[in-house]
Amino acid sequence: MPKVTVDGQEIEVPAGATVLQACELAGKEIPRFCYHERLSIAGNCRMCLVEVKPGPPKPQASCALPAAEGQEIRTDSPMVKKAREGVMEFLLINHPLDCPICDQGGECDLQDQAVAYGRGGSRYHENKRAVTEKYMGPLIKTIMTRCIHCTRCVRFSEEIAGVDEIGALYRGEDMQITTYLEQAAAHELSANVIDLCPVGALTSRPYAFEARPWELKKTLSIDVSDAVGANITLHSKGREVMRALPRVNDDVNEEWLSDKGRYQVDGLTKRRLDRVWVRRDGKLQPAEWTEAFGMIASALDSDKASIAAVAGDLLDAETMFAAKALVNACGSQLTEARQTGMTYDVSNLAAVNFNSTFAGIETADAILIVGSNVRWEAALLNVRLRKAVKAGAKVYIIGPEWDPTYPATFLGSDLKLLNRIPKELGDAMKNAKRPAVILGAAALAKGALPAALKLVDKFGLVREGWNGFNVLHISAARMASLMLGFTLPGGMGDIAAASPKVLLSLGADEMDYAPYAGSLKVYIGHHGDKGAHHADIILPGASYAEKDGTYVNAEGRVQYAEKAVYAPGDAREDWTILRALADALGVTVGFDSFSELQAKMIAAVPALGEEGLADYGALPKADSGAKFEGELAGYPIKDFYLTNPIARASEVMQRCSDELLHGADVKEAAE
């Protein structure tokens, strides 16, 4: 490890570190625009200049200069100060004075660094250049005259997202950053370039002119649009969530966020259920809580145990625990969270977990994906797989073809071919040091789990320090529901066979309601989506942004989300509805407050009280007689942007679906 001196302080730096990284290790702040920790080094902006001896008697770009033994680095000399002032002056030559009307105002790197490192005035009097605006789709607003050509957006698109949609045209003063033929950037991670842009050239189109950063209350939360559990911050103003931004968590989402997780939040205020409704004479009509609870109690008057609960995909663990406590107190065991009808064995949770972890899958060197369109089901996991491929991993996919953004071999859609492993796949897995299998929702629906467990021994997926057997869920509530035992051996079939008098639908909008024509269907949810249309009684609940809650992602990571805003109108947090319903039914559930509920849940499942990866133990022994059967005709997600009731209520997500997936020509209101 080389030793360098930074402003008189001697430090040791890791081999291969740059001078910029050495300065940061010494606690010095180095200004930069083009450099980013997760992107390749470009050396465009020249803002990170420092003085280095031995070396030429001039400032050098620290981001692209390797740290070497014996270097003396100065970050605060008069030469460095003058050089940075000159660079900032050049950067501001063509930059318009848009700060009062720029959405980046208040969180702009250019503003901050101009104050800290600029001259305070410009000597430039020539004509300024202007650049025409570029269309980058319904999510990204462009004012390209502000662009300083740092190329962060270009490098993100190529290196992280794997979609070469943004690039530079022309040279020198005429250089422009644009999308290909000025069309929309059509991929699931496109809006991350807004966070990366150090100026106001790329800003959020839906959020344009809505609020200033100092007006917003920031709340730590978890993205529920998929099972990755990306860490986010909800920014709210009054009682409305204005935007969602990613939080840095290297184990889960690094610092990225899918477009759906970022922009579905405008759906939180649309098509909301904000009062009680009951069905009278075939029509839903407004009612009071007492009337609704009375109808439920009357339906269960003769047989209190004839009650069932089905959990939706966006639920927190506390709501599911409260529902289970209520149903069990009534004398029923009918609870299920796999609303679409899957019936895989959940007696061993290690068999249905993403055991490699999201960060760990980057180190795999041979990966078999069975029945999963990872790009749509877990866009942030696809970024990890792309990293693995860059490091030399080979990827094989069984299922209908999709564009994975990295080289991959599609072996076909018939699961039977895994009964006799193709030679190419077998050789790759046998020679791999860290082989991995990812089993998707389409394969689970075909009953492929028992046969897939045979691949553990066949491919040697479990080794010292490595477990390569992974199941990828698509529901944010799935792992928590499995930990709580919210499932039945026969899945939804067991509930249908029991013909319960009362069916509690906890935000279950994807289930088939046809078998429950004779049941009193009570929908506890937040949006007027499919479940509400089938309901006999609607009890308005709270969305993930309107309640505290515990979530468990696909890798078994327990995470906690905080309440950002209050639910609208008469809507209540779900657990309070279930607690009040318990009183109406005359049963005891054992909690009167959220803290009591949480304590009772953690007592029942201690792992839910410890943030971090839950320990599910070892994988079960495989059934030697299990075989792969069936053909994968498609994947469960048909439209990336419209997978849950919040997204379907979102005007932004509807527009993305129309324009980016279905090619609709969406015009502005003025047109």
Side-chain angles (χ1 to χ4, degrees):
M1 292 173 68
K3 287 183 179 177
V4 300
T5 305
V6 180
D7 292 342
Q9 175 189 350
E10 187 176 78
I11 60 166
E12 265 193 322
V13 297
T18 63
V19 169
L20 185 149
Q21 290 167 326
C23 293
E24 300 221 315
L25 282 172
K28 303 295 180 182
E29 182 184 276
I30 304 295
R32 84 291 297 268
F33 292 113
C34 67
Y35 175 79
H36 191 277
E37 294 82 353
R38 301 184 197 276
L39 303 176
S40 62
I41 294 169
N44 291 338
C45 72
R46 318 309 285 180
M47 195 65 208
C48 62
L49 294 173
V50 295
E51 190 178 347
V52 182
K53 295 177 183 176
K58 63 177 185 178
Q60 299 192 62
S62 59
C63 70
L65 184 66
E69 181 71 37
Q71 280 177 333
E72 289 183 36
I73 304 164
R74 291 286 305 275
T75 69
D76 55 1
S77 67
M79 179 201 289
V80 170
K81 184 174 184 296
K82 185 178 179 183
R84 288 176 180 170
E85 286 178 354
V87 169
M88 179 58 72
E89 193 174 0
F90 273 117
L91 286 174
L92 294 175
I93 276 176
N94 290 311
H95 195 81
L97 278 173
D98 279 350
C99 301
I101 55 125
C102 176
D103 270 318
Q104 200 84 342
E107 49 192 7
C108 174
D109 292 351
L110 191 65
Q111 276 184 338
D112 297 342
Q113 292 182 39
V115 169
Y117 305 102
R119 284 185 73 246
S122 175
R123 294 166 289 182
Y124 186 81
H125 299 292
E126 285 74 22
N127 292 333
K128 295 179 181 290
R129 81 168 198 153
V131 181
T132 55
E133 311 312 351
K134 314 297 179 188
Y135 183 69
M136 289 195 184
L139 303 180
I140 305 168
K141 181 182 178 186
T142 65
I143 300 92
M144 299 312 291
T145 303
R146 301 173 186 162
C147 179
I148 61 168
H149 303 158
C150 70
T151 68
R152 280 185 181 182
C153 55
V154 177
R155 285 175 284 147
F156 172 83
S157 297
E158 290 180 2
E159 298 163 15
I160 307 296
V163 182
D164 296 344
E165 290 204 339
I166 303 178
L169 296 177
Y170 317 124
R171 301 177 66 186
E173 189 183 26
D174 296 321
M175 181 176 166
Q176 297 180 22
I177 303 290
T178 180
T179 50
Y180 182 66
L181 296 181
E182 294 192 28
Q183 293 186 349
H187 60 91
E188 303 75 31
L189 301 167
S190 65
N192 286 290
V193 298
I194 296 167
D195 297 338
L196 287 172
C197 185
V199 297
L202 304 178
T203 54
S204 172
R205 188 180 288 272
Y207 176 69
F209 311 127
E210 291 290 332
R212 286 298 195 185
W214 54 84
E215 298 178 283
L216 303 175
K217 184 186 85 172
K218 299 169 180 63
T219 308
L220 306 183
S221 189
I222 302 296
D223 173 33
V224 297
S225 65
D226 56 30
V228 173
N231 289 210
I232 60 174
T233 307
L234 294 177
H235 292 207
S236 55
K237 184 180 179 183
R239 297 189 63 162
E240 184 177 350
V241 175
M242 305 302 291
R243 62 177 180 175
L245 294 181
R247 276 188 287 143
V248 177
N249 187 330
D250 287 336
D251 294 326
V252 184
N253 58 306
E254 299 177 283
E255 61 185 81
W256 317 125
L257 183 58
S258 75
D259 290 349
K260 181 168 51 180
R262 185 186 297 262
Y263 283 115
Q264 69 175 6
V265 293
D266 79 309
L268 291 170
T269 57
K270 297 179 175 71
R271 293 172 59 184
R272 286 302 300 264
L273 301 172
D274 58 0
R275 64 182 304 171
V276 179
W277 298 81
V278 300
R279 195 175 293 278
R280 302 190 194 99
D281 301 324
K283 289 185 178 180
L284 285 169
Q285 297 178 358
E288 297 298 324
W289 288 96
T290 50
E291 181 186 353
F293 286 159
M295 289 175 65
I296 299 168
S298 298
L300 292 174
D301 198 22
S302 58
D303 183 9
K304 202 173 285 186
S306 187
I307 185 172
V310 179
D313 291 345
L314 310 182
L315 281 193
D316 55 297
E318 285 82 358
T319 298
M320 288 186 280
F321 182 81
K324 192 170 192 295
L326 172 63
V327 170
N328 292 167
C330 290
S332 169
Q333 301 298 320
L334 298 175
T335 57
E336 182 56 70
R338 298 168 294 180
Q339 55 173 324
T340 53
M342 289 192 274
T343 57
Y344 49 85
D345 178 25
V346 295
S347 57
N348 185 315
L349 294 189
V352 288
N353 186 45
F354 201 93
N355 295 297
S356 298
T357 72
F358 296 145
I361 199 70
E362 291 179 13
T363 64
D365 46 3
I367 303 167
L368 170 64
I369 301 171
V370 185
S372 177
N373 179 347
V374 182
R375 191 171 161 184
W376 277 13
E377 293 171 13
L380 295 168
L381 174 60
N382 205 51
V383 170
R384 305 276 194 177
L385 296 180
R386 182 172 162 75
K387 278 192 191 177
V389 171
K390 274 186 168 182
K394 293 182 178 178
V395 176
Y396 299 89
I397 302 175
I398 293 175
E401 291 199 16
W402 49 280
D403 178 12
T405 74
Y406 42 79
T409 304
F410 283 86
L411 301 173
S413 296
D414 196 343
L415 287 171
K416 289 180 184 173
L417 63 85
L418 284 176
N419 292 324
R420 294 187 65 190
I421 305 297
K423 185 177 186 307
E424 182 187 358
L425 173 62
D427 290 346
M429 287 292 188
K430 189 167 68 176
N431 297 329
K433 292 180 180 175
R434 294 166 83 90
V437 168
I438 298 175
L439 197 68
L444 285 177
K446 285 287 184 183
L449 182 59
L453 285 166
K454 289 170 63 180
L455 301 177
V456 174
D457 291 334
K458 194 173 284 188
F459 292 154
L461 298 179
V462 178
R463 307 177 182 190
E464 187 177 349
W466 176 251
N467 185 338
F469 185 80
N470 303 299
V471 170
L472 180 60
H473 299 293
I474 58 175
S475 159
R478 183 70 75 243
M479 287 307 294
S481 72
L482 300 182
M483 291 171 74
L484 290 166
F486 206 87
T487 51
L488 297 166
M492 293 297 294
D494 284 357
I495 293 181
S499 297
K501 290 180 179 175
V502 171
L503 176 72
L504 298 179
S505 169
L506 304 163
D509 291 287
E510 321 302 330
M511 67 178 279
D512 179 13
Y513 284 89
Y516 308 99
S519 303
L520 181 72
K521 295 177 282 294
V522 181
Y523 182 76
I524 303 175
H526 39 81
H527 276 80
D529 207 78
K530 299 173 187 174
H533 286 246
H534 289 94
D536 300 307
I537 297 174
I538 294 173
L539 304 177
S543 71
Y544 75 102
E546 295 149 6
K547 57 186 173 183
D548 293 326
T550 304
Y551 297 89
V552 185
N553 72 358
E555 58 178 355
R557 187 177 300 278
V558 180
Q559 304 184 110
Y560 191 73
E562 297 174 3
K563 177 178 181 173
V565 292
Y566 288 96
D570 285 341
R572 298 287 183 268
E573 293 180 32
D574 302 23
W575 75 268
T576 63
I577 297 172
L578 295 163
R579 176 64 187 83
L581 183 55
D583 282 347
L585 297 179
V587 297
T588 304
V589 288
F591 55 84
D592 295 314
S593 67
F594 184 77
S595 56
E596 286 180 16
L597 163 61
Q598 203 168 48
K600 200 169 170 67
M601 178 186 78
I602 292 169
V605 186
L608 288 172
E610 300 172 18
E611 288 200 68
L613 290 172
D615 183 5
Y616 298 136
L619 287 166
K621 290 288 182 189
D623 176 5
S624 57
K627 287 196 171 183
F628 287 98
E629 297 288 343
E631 180 140 350
L632 298 172
Y635 300 108
I637 294 180
K638 308 298 182 192
D639 188 321
F640 170 75
Y641 297 102
L642 305 175
T643 56
N644 64 63
I646 300 174
R648 287 191 285 267
S650 164
E651 185 182 340
V652 178
M653 291 294 95
Q654 289 282 356
R655 186 181 178 117
C656 286
S657 173
D658 290 342
E659 187 173 340
L660 303 181
L661 294 185
H662 302 118
D665 183 15
V666 181
K667 295 193 174 186
E668 299 291 341
E671 296 179 288

